[in-house]
Amino acid sequence: MHTAAEGFRDAVAVVTGGARGIGRACALRLAELGARVAVVDRDLAAAAEYGESLTASSVAEELIARAGAGLALQADLASPEQAADAVHAASAEWGRVDLLVTTAGGAITPYDRSRASVVPDEDLTALLDANVRTAVNCCRAAVPLMRSAGGGAIVTVASGTALSVRAGGYLAGYGSAKAAIVQYTRYLAAEVGPDGIRVNCVAPGVIRTARVVAQSSRTGIVSDEAAATIPLGRQGEASDVADAVEFLLSPMASYVTGQTLAVNGGAVMH
């Protein structure tokens, strides 16, 4: 019988968008399980922007404290070249890449112009770059390394907005970009399954990261009233998503690929 902790000791993982929020929670979880983790982010000091507290002087130091090894790499992952350089840096440091988590992205454009009928071209471009191109670029870089090693596991990150529609049509561009991630995950899983590479997706609901909480004064996404509508009675924490990512990367999910796991307390049911 497999356990969730199996398969992580000395594995090499790349986590994008790992300087804060969900990405950081996933990176620290993998390090706690014994993986050597490379965090890649366009801003390695991003946690400070919304007052997210680190447990060490940097994310790299947090990883080293947990696993004895860790890398923090700054890159714009919307650039194919920078994405490839970052993934290959992890391989150069530790000899291979076994695991990839593509957390980079987010609803980064103004909320008040995010409805389906008004979202401007520049916002669509920014959302596709941040959410889709970053994931595709990193997967393209990692898959050949995983193939040469005989296998691996990838978890992409979508959103509840890819599975349902926000009231009023808000977050239309973001939801569409994340829906593309869901379908890309399926296509990639179908392609690389014969190579021993599993590809799955998590679709978080409202997760109370420092950024989401800070922005909720504008968006109204985080509130006691919203939490009361969720069957499990609360909005999510970054650790809830890290739990799901841990499962999907672990041998416990060895017969799971091409799936999207909604992590939303039952806010959206299929």
Side-chain angles (χ1 to χ4, degrees):
M1 179 181 294
H2 293 305
T3 65
E6 289 178 14
F8 293 106
R9 180 66 56 187
D10 295 327
V12 175
V14 175
V15 179
T16 73
R20 71 180 177 199
I22 292 172
R24 176 172 165 262
C26 292
L28 296 182
R29 175 68 59 81
L30 295 177
E32 288 164 359
L33 292 165
R36 293 167 287 181
V37 182
V39 160
V40 189
D41 205 295
R42 66 184 303 171
D43 179 6
L44 293 175
E49 182 178 358
Y50 295 103
E52 183 174 338
S53 298
L54 304 185
T55 59
S57 60
S58 67
V59 174
E61 290 299 320
E62 289 186 306
L63 297 172
I64 292 168
R66 286 160 175 77
L71 283 177
L73 306 166
Q74 189 156 314
D76 179 359
L77 297 175
S79 159
E81 295 78 16
Q82 291 189 45
D85 287 347
V87 173
H88 289 137
S91 178
E93 181 74 14
W94 294 309
R96 63 185 191 274
V97 171
D98 305 299
L99 310 171
L100 172 65
V101 184
T102 62
T103 316
I108 60 172
T109 55
Y111 185 78
D112 59 1
R113 66 186 194 198
S114 68
R115 289 173 296 166
S117 66
V118 300
V119 56
D121 286 351
E122 59 264 34
D123 288 4
L124 289 173
T125 297
L127 289 164
L128 288 170
D129 282 349
N131 293 283
V132 180
R133 289 193 173 92
T134 56
V136 172
N137 288 342
C138 290
C139 289
R140 278 196 303 225
V143 162
L145 299 173
M146 292 181 179
R147 279 183 172 136
S148 66
I154 297 170
V155 175
T156 62
V157 179
S159 165
T161 59
L163 309 177
S164 65
V165 176
R166 185 155 178 81
Y170 285 96
L171 299 179
Y174 175 64
S176 298
K178 288 302 192 181
I181 290 293
V182 170
Q183 192 69 345
Y184 175 76
T185 299
R186 295 174 177 142
Y187 273 95
L188 186 60
E191 175 192 350
V192 302
D195 301 309
I197 303 170
R198 297 183 301 104
V199 190
N200 290 290
C201 180
V202 293
V206 175
I207 304 298
R208 293 172 52 87
T209 63
R211 178 178 65 86
V212 171
V213 171
Q215 293 176 343
S216 66
S217 61
R218 237 178 26 257
T219 64
I221 286 175
V222 174
S223 69
D224 292 341
E225 292 78 9
T229 68
I230 296 173
L232 291 186
R234 66 178 178 87
Q235 293 178 308
E237 304 294 338
S239 60
D240 294 314
V241 184
D243 289 341
V245 169
E246 176 185 341
F247 165 69
L248 290 172
L249 292 177
S250 79
M252 289 190 72
S254 62
Y255 199 54
V256 180
T257 198
Q259 305 303 309
T260 296
L261 177 57
V263 184
N264 60 27
V268 179
M269 297 190 182
H270 300 276

PDB file of all heavy atoms in Angstrom, residues 228-252:
ATOM      1  N   ALA A 228     -20.228  31.411   4.502  1.00  0.00           N
ATOM      2  CA  ALA A 228     -21.437  30.729   4.972  1.00  0.00           C
ATOM      3  C   ALA A 228     -22.175  30.017   3.852  1.00  0.00           C
ATOM      4  O   ALA A 228     -22.983  29.115   4.113  1.00  0.00           O
ATOM      5  CB  ALA A 228     -22.366  31.740   5.646  1.00  0.00           C
ATOM      6  N   THR A 229     -21.900  30.389   2.589  1.00  0.00           N
ATOM      7  CA  THR A 229     -22.565  29.733   1.458  1.00  0.00           C
ATOM      8  C   THR A 229     -21.858  28.454   1.033  1.00  0.00           C
ATOM      9  O   THR A 229     -22.382  27.715   0.191  1.00  0.00           O
ATOM     10  CB  THR A 229     -22.634  30.675   0.250  1.00  0.00           C
ATOM     11  OG1 THR A 229     -21.309  30.913  -0.264  1.00  0.00           O
ATOM     12  CG2 THR A 229     -23.282  32.008   0.625  1.00  0.00           C
ATOM     13  N   ILE A 230     -20.676  28.198   1.574  1.00  0.00           N
ATOM     14  CA  ILE A 230     -19.888  27.030   1.181  1.00  0.00           C
ATOM     15  C   ILE A 230     -20.295  25.839   2.042  1.00  0.00           C
ATOM     16  O   ILE A 230     -20.384  25.957   3.269  1.00  0.00           O
ATOM     17  CB  ILE A 230     -18.384  27.333   1.324  1.00  0.00           C
ATOM     18  CG1 ILE A 230     -17.991  28.448   0.345  1.00  0.00           C
ATOM     19  CG2 ILE A 230     -17.538  26.088   1.086  1.00  0.00           C
ATOM     20  CD1 ILE A 230     -16.577  28.936   0.507  1.00  0.00           C
ATOM     21  N   PRO A 231     -20.553  24.677   1.444  1.00  0.00           N
ATOM     22  CA  PRO A 231     -21.005  23.533   2.230  1.00  0.00           C
ATOM     23  C   PRO A 231     -20.121  23.188   3.420  1.00  0.00           C
ATOM     24  O   PRO A 231     -20.631  22.801   4.476  1.00  0.00           O
ATOM     25  CB  PRO A 231     -21.040  22.399   1.197  1.00  0.00           C
ATOM     26  CG  PRO A 231     -21.392  23.095  -0.075  1.00  0.00           C
ATOM     27  CD  PRO A 231     -20.652  24.400  -0.011  1.00  0.00           C
ATOM     28  N   LEU A 232     -18.811  23.323   3.299  1.00  0.00           N
ATOM     29  CA  LEU A 232     -17.929  23.018   4.422  1.00  0.00           C
ATOM     30  C   LEU A 232     -17.777  24.196   5.390  1.00  0.00           C
ATOM     31  O   LEU A 232     -17.039  24.104   6.370  1.00  0.00           O
ATOM     32  CB  LEU A 232     -16.559  22.552   3.924  1.00  0.00           C
ATOM     33  CG  LEU A 232     -16.547  21.184   3.248  1.00  0.00           C
ATOM     34  CD1 LEU A 232     -15.112  20.747   2.918  1.00  0.00           C
ATOM     35  CD2 LEU A 232     -17.226  20.112   4.097  1.00  0.00           C
ATOM     36  N   GLY A 233     -18.434  25.305   5.112  1.00  0.00           N
ATOM     37  CA  GLY A 233     -18.556  26.367   6.096  1.00  0.00           C
ATOM     38  C   GLY A 233     -17.380  27.295   6.239  1.00  0.00           C
ATOM     39  O   GLY A 233     -17.343  28.098   7.174  1.00  0.00           O
ATOM     40  N   ARG A 234     -16.426  27.239   5.323  1.00  0.00           N
ATOM     41  CA  ARG A 234     -15.280  28.138   5.411  1.00  0.00           C
ATOM     42  C   ARG A 234     -14.678  28.325   4.032  1.00  0.00           C
ATOM     43  O   ARG A 234     -14.896  27.520   3.122  1.00  0.00           O
ATOM     44  CB  ARG A 234     -14.212  27.589   6.355  1.00  0.00           C
ATOM     45  CG  ARG A 234     -13.534  26.304   5.876  1.00  0.00           C
ATOM     46  CD  ARG A 234     -12.449  25.832   6.831  1.00  0.00           C
ATOM     47  NE  ARG A 234     -11.830  24.584   6.406  1.00  0.00           N
ATOM     48  CZ  ARG A 234     -10.787  24.485   5.575  1.00  0.00           C
ATOM     49  NH1 ARG A 234     -10.250  25.591   5.061  1.00  0.00           N
ATOM     50  NH2 ARG A 234     -10.283  23.304   5.267  1.00  0.00           N
ATOM     51  N   GLN A 235     -13.909  29.401   3.878  1.00  0.00           N
ATOM     52  CA  GLN A 235     -13.109  29.589   2.682  1.00  0.00           C
ATOM     53  C   GLN A 235     -11.740  28.944   2.898  1.00  0.00           C
ATOM     54  O   GLN A 235     -11.327  28.682   4.021  1.00  0.00           O
ATOM     55  CB  GLN A 235     -13.007  31.073   2.350  1.00  0.00           C
ATOM     56  CG  GLN A 235     -14.368  31.642   1.949  1.00  0.00           C
ATOM     57  CD  GLN A 235     -14.340  33.121   1.643  1.00  0.00           C
ATOM     58  OE1 GLN A 235     -13.866  33.908   2.445  1.00  0.00           O
ATOM     59  NE2 GLN A 235     -14.873  33.509   0.488  1.00  0.00           N
ATOM     60  N   GLY A 236     -11.049  28.658   1.803  1.00  0.00           N
ATOM     61  CA  GLY A 236      -9.866  27.815   1.863  1.00  0.00           C
ATOM     62  C   GLY A 236      -8.618  28.533   2.322  1.00  0.00           C
ATOM     63  O   GLY A 236      -8.514  29.764   2.299  1.00  0.00           O
ATOM     64  N   GLU A 237      -7.645  27.729   2.725  1.00  0.00           N
ATOM     65  CA  GLU A 237      -6.299  28.192   3.055  1.00  0.00           C
ATOM     66  C   GLU A 237      -5.321  27.587   2.049  1.00  0.00           C
ATOM     67  O   GLU A 237      -5.608  26.560   1.417  1.00  0.00           O
ATOM     68  CB  GLU A 237      -5.917  27.783   4.478  1.00  0.00           C
ATOM     69  CG  GLU A 237      -6.887  28.248   5.552  1.00  0.00           C
ATOM     70  CD  GLU A 237      -6.927  29.756   5.712  1.00  0.00           C
ATOM     71  OE1 GLU A 237      -5.957  30.438   5.329  1.00  0.00           O
ATOM     72  OE2 GLU A 237      -7.951  30.267   6.234  1.00  0.00           O
ATOM     73  N   ALA A 238      -4.155  28.220   1.925  1.00  0.00           N
ATOM     74  CA  ALA A 238      -3.161  27.714   0.984  1.00  0.00           C
ATOM     75  C   ALA A 238      -2.781  26.269   1.285  1.00  0.00           C
ATOM     76  O   ALA A 238      -2.504  25.480   0.374  1.00  0.00           O
ATOM     77  CB  ALA A 238      -1.928  28.613   1.011  1.00  0.00           C
ATOM     78  N   SER A 239      -2.797  25.894   2.556  1.00  0.00           N
ATOM     79  CA  SER A 239      -2.460  24.523   2.936  1.00  0.00           C
ATOM     80  C   SER A 239      -3.455  23.514   2.377  1.00  0.00           C
ATOM     81  O   SER A 239      -3.102  22.347   2.128  1.00  0.00           O
ATOM     82  CB  SER A 239      -2.375  24.393   4.454  1.00  0.00           C
ATOM     83  OG  SER A 239      -3.617  24.728   5.050  1.00  0.00           O
ATOM     84  N   ASP A 240      -4.708  23.925   2.166  1.00  0.00           N
ATOM     85  CA  ASP A 240      -5.695  23.024   1.570  1.00  0.00           C
ATOM     86  C   ASP A 240      -5.293  22.644   0.145  1.00  0.00           C
ATOM     87  O   ASP A 240      -5.467  21.492  -0.276  1.00  0.00           O
ATOM     88  CB  ASP A 240      -7.072  23.680   1.553  1.00  0.00           C
ATOM     89  CG  ASP A 240      -7.646  23.907   2.943  1.00  0.00           C
ATOM     90  OD1 ASP A 240      -7.573  22.970   3.762  1.00  0.00           O
ATOM     91  OD2 ASP A 240      -8.151  25.003   3.208  1.00  0.00           O
ATOM     92  N   VAL A 241      -4.781  23.608  -0.583  1.00  0.00           N
ATOM     93  CA  VAL A 241      -4.329  23.327  -1.951  1.00  0.00           C
ATOM     94  C   VAL A 241      -3.054  22.490  -1.918  1.00  0.00           C
ATOM     95  O   VAL A 241      -2.893  21.559  -2.716  1.00  0.00           O
ATOM     96  CB  VAL A 241      -4.114  24.633  -2.730  1.00  0.00           C
ATOM     97  CG1 VAL A 241      -3.747  24.326  -4.183  1.00  0.00           C
ATOM     98  CG2 VAL A 241      -5.358  25.504  -2.678  1.00  0.00           C
ATOM     99  N   ALA A 242      -2.146  22.792  -0.996  1.00  0.00           N
ATOM    100  CA  ALA A 242      -0.923  21.996  -0.874  1.00  0.00           C
ATOM    101  C   ALA A 242      -1.244  20.535  -0.573  1.00  0.00           C
ATOM    102  O   ALA A 242      -0.563  19.625  -1.058  1.00  0.00           O
ATOM    103  CB  ALA A 242      -0.020  22.579   0.212  1.00  0.00           C
ATOM    104  N   ASP A 243      -2.294  20.288   0.220  1.00  0.00           N
ATOM    105  CA  ASP A 243      -2.720  18.909   0.488  1.00  0.00           C
ATOM    106  C   ASP A 243      -3.070  18.194  -0.808  1.00  0.00           C
ATOM    107  O   ASP A 243      -2.678  17.036  -1.035  1.00  0.00           O
ATOM    108  CB  ASP A 243      -3.944  18.898   1.405  1.00  0.00           C
ATOM    109  CG  ASP A 243      -3.649  19.316   2.836  1.00  0.00           C
ATOM    110  OD1 ASP A 243      -2.471  19.274   3.251  1.00  0.00           O
ATOM    111  OD2 ASP A 243      -4.598  19.688   3.539  1.00  0.00           O
ATOM    112  N   ALA A 244      -3.853  18.851  -1.657  1.00  0.00           N
ATOM    113  CA  ALA A 244      -4.281  18.239  -2.909  1.00  0.00           C
ATOM    114  C   ALA A 244      -3.101  18.027  -3.857  1.00  0.00           C
ATOM    115  O   ALA A 244      -3.004  16.992  -4.523  1.00  0.00           O
ATOM    116  CB  ALA A 244      -5.342  19.114  -3.579  1.00  0.00           C
ATOM    117  N   VAL A 245      -2.200  19.002  -3.909  1.00  0.00           N
ATOM    118  CA  VAL A 245      -1.015  18.870  -4.761  1.00  0.00           C
ATOM    119  C   VAL A 245      -0.146  17.716  -4.280  1.00  0.00           C
ATOM    120  O   VAL A 245       0.356  16.910  -5.086  1.00  0.00           O
ATOM    121  CB  VAL A 245      -0.227  20.198  -4.788  1.00  0.00           C
ATOM    122  CG1 VAL A 245       1.140  20.011  -5.441  1.00  0.00           C
ATOM    123  CG2 VAL A 245      -1.035  21.267  -5.529  1.00  0.00           C
ATOM    124  N   GLU A 246       0.038  17.612  -2.967  1.00  0.00           N
ATOM    125  CA  GLU A 246       0.816  16.496  -2.414  1.00  0.00           C
ATOM    126  C   GLU A 246       0.226  15.156  -2.863  1.00  0.00           C
ATOM    127  O   GLU A 246       0.952  14.261  -3.310  1.00  0.00           O
ATOM    128  CB  GLU A 246       0.824  16.577  -0.890  1.00  0.00           C
ATOM    129  CG  GLU A 246       1.538  15.406  -0.222  1.00  0.00           C
ATOM    130  CD  GLU A 246       1.441  15.430   1.289  1.00  0.00           C
ATOM    131  OE1 GLU A 246       1.141  16.501   1.857  1.00  0.00           O
ATOM    132  OE2 GLU A 246       1.661  14.364   1.906  1.00  0.00           O
ATOM    133  N   PHE A 247      -1.083  15.012  -2.751  1.00  0.00           N
ATOM    134  CA  PHE A 247      -1.727  13.763  -3.169  1.00  0.00           C
ATOM    135  C   PHE A 247      -1.479  13.483  -4.644  1.00  0.00           C
ATOM    136  O   PHE A 247      -1.074  12.377  -5.024  1.00  0.00           O
ATOM    137  CB  PHE A 247      -3.226  13.830  -2.891  1.00  0.00           C
ATOM    138  CG  PHE A 247      -4.008  12.762  -3.609  1.00  0.00           C
ATOM    139  CD1 PHE A 247      -3.884  11.425  -3.251  1.00  0.00           C
ATOM    140  CD2 PHE A 247      -4.850  13.100  -4.660  1.00  0.00           C
ATOM    141  CE1 PHE A 247      -4.589  10.442  -3.923  1.00  0.00           C
ATOM    142  CE2 PHE A 247      -5.563  12.121  -5.340  1.00  0.00           C
ATOM    143  CZ  PHE A 247      -5.432  10.784  -4.973  1.00  0.00           C
ATOM    144  N   LEU A 248      -1.712  14.472  -5.503  1.00  0.00           N
ATOM    145  CA  LEU A 248      -1.615  14.239  -6.948  1.00  0.00           C
ATOM    146  C   LEU A 248      -0.186  13.947  -7.399  1.00  0.00           C
ATOM    147  O   LEU A 248       0.017  13.257  -8.405  1.00  0.00           O
ATOM    148  CB  LEU A 248      -2.183  15.431  -7.710  1.00  0.00           C
ATOM    149  CG  LEU A 248      -3.707  15.591  -7.614  1.00  0.00           C
ATOM    150  CD1 LEU A 248      -4.142  16.907  -8.243  1.00  0.00           C
ATOM    151  CD2 LEU A 248      -4.423  14.419  -8.275  1.00  0.00           C
ATOM    152  N   LEU A 249       0.805  14.456  -6.677  1.00  0.00           N
ATOM    153  CA  LEU A 249       2.199  14.169  -7.018  1.00  0.00           C
ATOM    154  C   LEU A 249       2.678  12.840  -6.443  1.00  0.00           C
ATOM    155  O   LEU A 249       3.695  12.307  -6.889  1.00  0.00           O
ATOM    156  CB  LEU A 249       3.109  15.281  -6.503  1.00  0.00           C
ATOM    157  CG  LEU A 249       2.973  16.652  -7.160  1.00  0.00           C
ATOM    158  CD1 LEU A 249       3.901  17.651  -6.466  1.00  0.00           C
ATOM    159  CD2 LEU A 249       3.286  16.599  -8.656  1.00  0.00           C
ATOM    160  N   SER A 250       1.965  12.316  -5.466  1.00  0.00           N
ATOM    161  CA  SER A 250       2.440  11.158  -4.718  1.00  0.00           C
ATOM    162  C   SER A 250       2.074   9.846  -5.400  1.00  0.00           C
ATOM    163  O   SER A 250       1.200   9.796  -6.271  1.00  0.00           O
ATOM    164  CB  SER A 250       1.840  11.171  -3.307  1.00  0.00           C
ATOM    165  OG  SER A 250       0.503  10.684  -3.337  1.00  0.00           O
ATOM    166  N   PRO A 251       2.717   8.732  -4.981  1.00  0.00           N
ATOM    167  CA  PRO A 251       2.342   7.417  -5.508  1.00  0.00           C
ATOM    168  C   PRO A 251       0.899   7.032  -5.209  1.00  0.00           C
ATOM    169  O   PRO A 251       0.359   6.127  -5.851  1.00  0.00           O
ATOM    170  CB  PRO A 251       3.324   6.472  -4.811  1.00  0.00           C
ATOM    171  CG  PRO A 251       4.503   7.323  -4.477  1.00  0.00           C
ATOM    172  CD  PRO A 251       3.924   8.662  -4.134  1.00  0.00           C
ATOM    173  N   MET A 252       0.263   7.681  -4.230  1.00  0.00           N
ATOM    174  CA  MET A 252      -1.138   7.383  -3.966  1.00  0.00           C
ATOM    175  C   MET A 252      -2.022   7.728  -5.159  1.00  0.00           C
ATOM    176  O   MET A 252      -3.136   7.203  -5.289  1.00  0.00           O
ATOM    177  CB  MET A 252      -1.623   8.128  -2.725  1.00  0.00           C
ATOM    178  CG  MET A 252      -1.041   7.598  -1.434  1.00  0.00           C
ATOM    179  SD  MET A 252      -1.836   8.303   0.035  1.00  0.00           S
ATOM    180  CE  MET A 252      -3.426   7.459  -0.028  1.00  0.00           C
TER     181      MET A 252
END
